[in-house]
Every structure is written in C-alpha cells, then in structure tokens.
C-alpha cells in the first residue's frame, strides 16, 4: 500500500515537472519570436499610438456626451441614463446658462427638459469639454481590432510569414482611410448621409494594391480589418460598414487573376458598376429614400473608377520600393527577350534549355496544387543564372571533355555550389523581387552533391558530408519547393533509359521520396496530396517530352560507316552523293 502511494506521489511530481517545463518552453518560444520579430512589434505599438492620437483629436471635435451623440437626445424624451457634469462651464453669449461640476444634467427615468437639453448642447459644443468615455471606447475597440489583425496575419492563417514592409504598407493605408472616415463628416457634403460618407473613402484603391502586391488572401484579410476600422471611425454606422466590406471583397476578387495593365481599366469599370449595385441594394435594405440617387450613384461610380486608375499608377513605384512581385512585374520578367535571358541563351545554352523545361514542369505543377504558377515559372527561368560565369563546368553545357576530370572533387564542389551564391548576387543586381531571389537561393536547399561526395569518399573514406553540401536553406514556400523538385526531376530524367510512363512514375516518386527523407520539404507546407499531384503533373509532361517516334523508311544513321549515300544540302536543295568504291 505504501509503495502504491509513493508511486502516485512520484508520478504526480513528474507531471508537475512536465507542466512546468512546458510553460517554460512556451514562454521561451514567445520571447524568441519576440526577439526575432521586434521590428514588427515596435511598428504595431507605434501605429496603435498614432491612430489613438488621431482618434483623440476627432473626439475633441465630436458632438457627443457620455459616448453618445447629441442627436440621440431630444426635449421631452425619457432619459435612459444619468449624465453628470465633470467640470464647471461658465455661461457665455451663445449659451447663457452655467454648468457646475457634479451637476446632474439629466436623470434616468425622467423627461429631458428644455434647460437640460440646452446644457447637453452646451457641453457637447464646448471646446474645453472632451468626452473621455467615447475616447476610451474607441481605444478599447482599436485594441481588440489590433488583436484580430495579429491573428489573421499569423503564420497559420496567412500561410507565410508577414513581411515588415507589408505590415508597414497596411498600417499607412489603414491610417489614411481611418482618418478620411473620421474627418470627412466635418465637410457638409459628406455629412448629409452615410451614403455620402462612402464617397470619401477610397477603399478599392487600397485593396487593388494589396491584392496585386501581396495576393488575394492577404487582401481578403485586410478587407475584414479595414471594414471594422471604418465601422469605428463612422460612429458604428452599419451602412458605411456594409458598403466598405462589399466593395473591398469585390475589389480583391476582381483583380486576383488579371495579367495585363489594360485589365486594370476593366477592373476599374467593374468596381464602379458594383459600387452602384451596392448603393442600390443598401437603399432598399434600409428603406432609404431614392431622392438624388443619380447624383449619389455617379459619385460612387467615379470613386471606384478613379481608385482603379490610381492603383494602376501607383503599382509600379510601390513594387520597386517594396521589392514585391506583382503580376505586371512578373509578366515583364517572363519575357525571354530581356537581356538576362538572352545572355543565358548565348553563354549557357544547355542551362537555358534546362530552365525552360523546369519552368514548364513547375508552372503546371503549381496550377495543380493551387500555388502561384507565374511566380514558379519566373523563378524557374532565373534559378540558374549563377551558371553564366562558369557555364563550362556544368554538364548540360559540356560538349566535349568534362572539366571536372582534371580537378579534385573538393574543388569541383566549390565551383558547382558557387552558382547559387552568384545567382543571388546577380538577382540583387537586377533588382528581382524577393520571392524570386528566395527561389534562386533555395532551389538546392542544403542537400548533398552526391556525385562528388561519392568520388571524394573513394579517395578519402573519412570525407565529411557537410563539406559537399549546398550552403542554402530548404524551400520555405510551395513555389520554391516545386521549382526544387522540377529542377531535380528534369536533370535526373535525362539519364533514364527507355523513359516509359511507368518508369518515369517510379523514378520521379523515388526522387521526391529522397527529398522528403533528407528534410528538404519540411518548411514549405506541401501536403502528401500536393506531392501526389506534383508527381502526376511531372509524369504527364515528361511522358509527352520523351515520347517515342516511328523510324522513317529511308532514315539512315549518319555515323554508320556502311552508309552508301550521304545527303548534302546545297542552296536549300538536296543532292545525293555516291560513295566511291
């Protein structure tokens, strides 16, 4: 019995120790992440303070008492709350009544008198009176919104790490639109109705840019954050919120698949027409009058159209400043007549042809798994630009003797893996988008260069595997991982004899399994379902590439010494030469 009790006590102590270790590890991980992402943390705090200050200036000019608008009170209304003056306000020429500190202006359950209403009006319009309760409510709401913002843009939901520049751009846009919504009602035109206020908020402009620069998912999340922020700035008016929310989501969906700049004009027209539709539906939904609907509809449409045109103008400088890959920039980089690709063709034609095939494989695979096919294609075009300087050391460019036969494996490895570093350097010189630079840096990961490692082991059995590995990191995005797999498969399948569909399938499966075994796909969020689709896509493309052809009846082998006839092409005409006996 005593032993059982001792065992129970011992087990409980072990559990307590495990729980403590877990808590320590959680806190340790939190502080490590905080240390790594401290610029984002500081930016978030500063932006929260800035928006809080803007809100404070807005509250000082608002006609509110106890966080409620003066328009919610009227003479004779039964008060639903007590309002007590928090300071003494002397009489003046405009309001010849005094208010004393601690005085009850209105009493809950009693009708509001004319004198009480005048005192409320005096308090609301008094420059020295600040409704701190309304300000506290706004700050608390912004704090909750900031928490939601953080959760939406976490690695789990976003599927990638939020970049500092991306967050900075989002905060700048949020601050601008939040301020527009707060201060636009100070102008009589925008104060006429919530529908007039919507004209002053260029939401489509912001969402167009976020979608083009960072993708649809980021824009959809930002639409939620922005709409909720505008809800607070618009004094919690549901009409403004709904219009903003619908306009934002529509803008993100419209531009997600565009490929050319002229498409932005059509996107501008589309969002203009949709804005009119949203205005019409809200008028019906909230039983609002259709007086001067034409003027409102025209103004709302102009808002949407100008947003699209402005986005088209701002996209080029922003993508250069932020070093992002918009669809327009990627389409420009995919032009094979640009100087870099022409240089690759002339100096390393084998590498050029390899890059074309890798691009085809990667693009089709990304289409199958829902990744960004255009990013993968452009990344594949540029992934081996580091081979341009010493192209003769890479097997696809060799036509005669292999230069590695004359040097030791260690030197060969240093030449081979240097193409990654040189490729990254060239990419920076060309100001390529960061996502393309990452593909160049990650397309070999930290895998071992097996051929030269095995050659080195023949000379020295104690050769260190790490000395024959690439210095990069494994792929961190789906697109980068697909380019890595396409690069490996394209190069390896060239050595496969009689590449039938079944042989290709088994061989590609073994290549992918090898990458998994060596932990090259641990950081890219690819699922086993994705890998299956990628393998099937590779097999389909390569089976078509390595298809067999029937031999022509009169086809002769030009290297056959027994060949009696030779075909000579002279001035585009074919002549047959009889071989001398």
């Amino acid at each position: 019995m005593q032993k059982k009790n001792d065992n129970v006590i011992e087990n409980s102590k072990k559990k307590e120790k495990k729980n403590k270790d877990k808590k320590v590890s959680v806190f340790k991980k939190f502080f490590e992440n905080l240390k790594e992402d401290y610029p984002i943390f500081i930016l978030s705090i500063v932006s929260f303070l800035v928006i809080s200050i803007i809100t404070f200036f807005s509250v000082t000019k608002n006609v509110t008492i106890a966080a409620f608008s003066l328009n919610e009170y009227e003479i004779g209304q039964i008060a639903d709350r007590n309002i007590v003056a928090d300071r003494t306000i002397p009489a003046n020429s405009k309001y010849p009544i005094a208010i004393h500190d601690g005085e009850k202006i209105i009493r809950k359950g009693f009708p509001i008198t004319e004198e009480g209403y005048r005192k409320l009006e005096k308090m609301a319009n008094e420059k020295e009176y600040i409704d701190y309760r309304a300000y506290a409510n706004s700050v608390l709401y912004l704090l909750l919104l900031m928490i939601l913002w953080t959760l939406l843009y976490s690695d789990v939901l976003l599927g990638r790490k939020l970049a500092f520049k991306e967050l900075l751009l989002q905060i700048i846009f949020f601050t601008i639109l939040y301020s527009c919504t707060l201060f636009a009602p100070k102008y009589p035109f925008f104060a006429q109705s919530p529908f007039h206020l919507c004209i002053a908020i260029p939401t489509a402009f912001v969402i167009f840019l976020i979608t083009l620069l960072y993708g649809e998912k980021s824009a959809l999340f930002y639409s939620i954050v922005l709409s909720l922020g505008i809800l607070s700035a618009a004094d919690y008016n549901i009409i403004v919120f709904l219009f903003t929310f619908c306009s934002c989501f529509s803008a993100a969906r419209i531009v997600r698949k565009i490929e050319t700049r002229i498409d932005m004009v059509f996107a501008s027209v589309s969002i203009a027409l949709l804005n009119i539709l949203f205005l019409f539906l809200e008028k019906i939904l909230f039983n609002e009058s259709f007086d001067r609907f034409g003027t409102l509809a025209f103004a709302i449409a102009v808002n949407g159209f100008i947003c699209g045109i402005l986005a088209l103008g701002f996209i080029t400088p922003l993508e250069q400043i932020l070093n992002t890959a918009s669809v327009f920039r990627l389409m420009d980089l995919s032009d094979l007549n640009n100087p870099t690709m022409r240089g690759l063709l002339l100096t390393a034609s084998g590498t050029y042809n390899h890059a074309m095939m890798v691009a085809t494989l990667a693009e089709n695979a990304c289409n199958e798994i829902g990744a960004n096919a255009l990013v993968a294609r452009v990344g594949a075009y540029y992934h081996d630009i580091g081979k341009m300087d010493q192209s003769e050391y890479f097997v696809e460019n060799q036509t005669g003797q292999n230069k590695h036969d004359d040097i030791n494996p260690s030197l060969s490895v240093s030449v081979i893996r240097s193409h990654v570093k040189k490729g990254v350097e060239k990419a920076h010189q060309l100001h390529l988008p960061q996502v393309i630079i990452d593909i160049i840096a990650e397309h070999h990961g930290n895998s071992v260069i097996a051929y030269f490692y095995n050659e080195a082991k023949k000379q020295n059995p104690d050769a260190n595997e790490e000395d024959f590995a690439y210095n990069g990191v494994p792929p961190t995005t789906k697109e980068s991982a697909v380019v890595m797999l396409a690069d490996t498969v394209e190069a390896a399948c060239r050595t496969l004899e009689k590449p039938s569909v079944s042989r290709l399938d088994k061989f590609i499966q073994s290549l992918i399994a090898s990458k998994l075994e060596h932990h090259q796909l641990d950081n890219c969020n690819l699922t086993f379902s994705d890998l299956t689709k990628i393998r099937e896509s590779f097999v389909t493309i390569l089976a078509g590439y390595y298809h067999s052809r029937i031999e022509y009846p009169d086809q002769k082998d030009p290297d056959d010494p027994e060949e009696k006839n030779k075909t000579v092409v002279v001035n585009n005409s074919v002549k047959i030469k009889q071989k001398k006996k």
Side-chain angles (χ1 to χ4, degrees), residues 130-155:
I130 299 173
D131 192 348
Y132 286 103
R133 182 172 173 180
Y135 176 64
N137 289 346
S138 296
V139 171
L140 180 60
Y141 182 91
L142 289 171
L143 182 61
L144 294 173
L145 183 61
M146 184 178 174
I147 294 171
L148 175 65
W149 197 335
T150 304
L151 292 174
L152 287 174
Y153 282 90
S154 62
D155 296 353

Side-chain angles (χ1 to χ4, degrees), residues 7 27 70-71 99 210 237 325 361 377 404 414 416 418 459 479 505 517 526 535 561:
N7 289 334
F27 281 112
L70 184 63
N71 296 329
I99 298 174
I210 295 292
N237 189 294
L361 292 170
R377 173 153 63 94
H404 294 285
S414 65
I416 294 297
S418 68
Q459 300 176 10
E479 294 79 11
D505 188 46
E517 183 183 348
L526 283 177
R535 189 192 79 240

Side-chain angles (χ1 to χ4, degrees), residues 290-309:
F290 277 83
D291 292 342
R292 294 190 295 177
F293 178 78
T295 305
L296 268 176
F298 176 76
I300 284 288
V302 169
N303 173 298
F305 184 78
I306 291 178
C307 282
I309 300 304

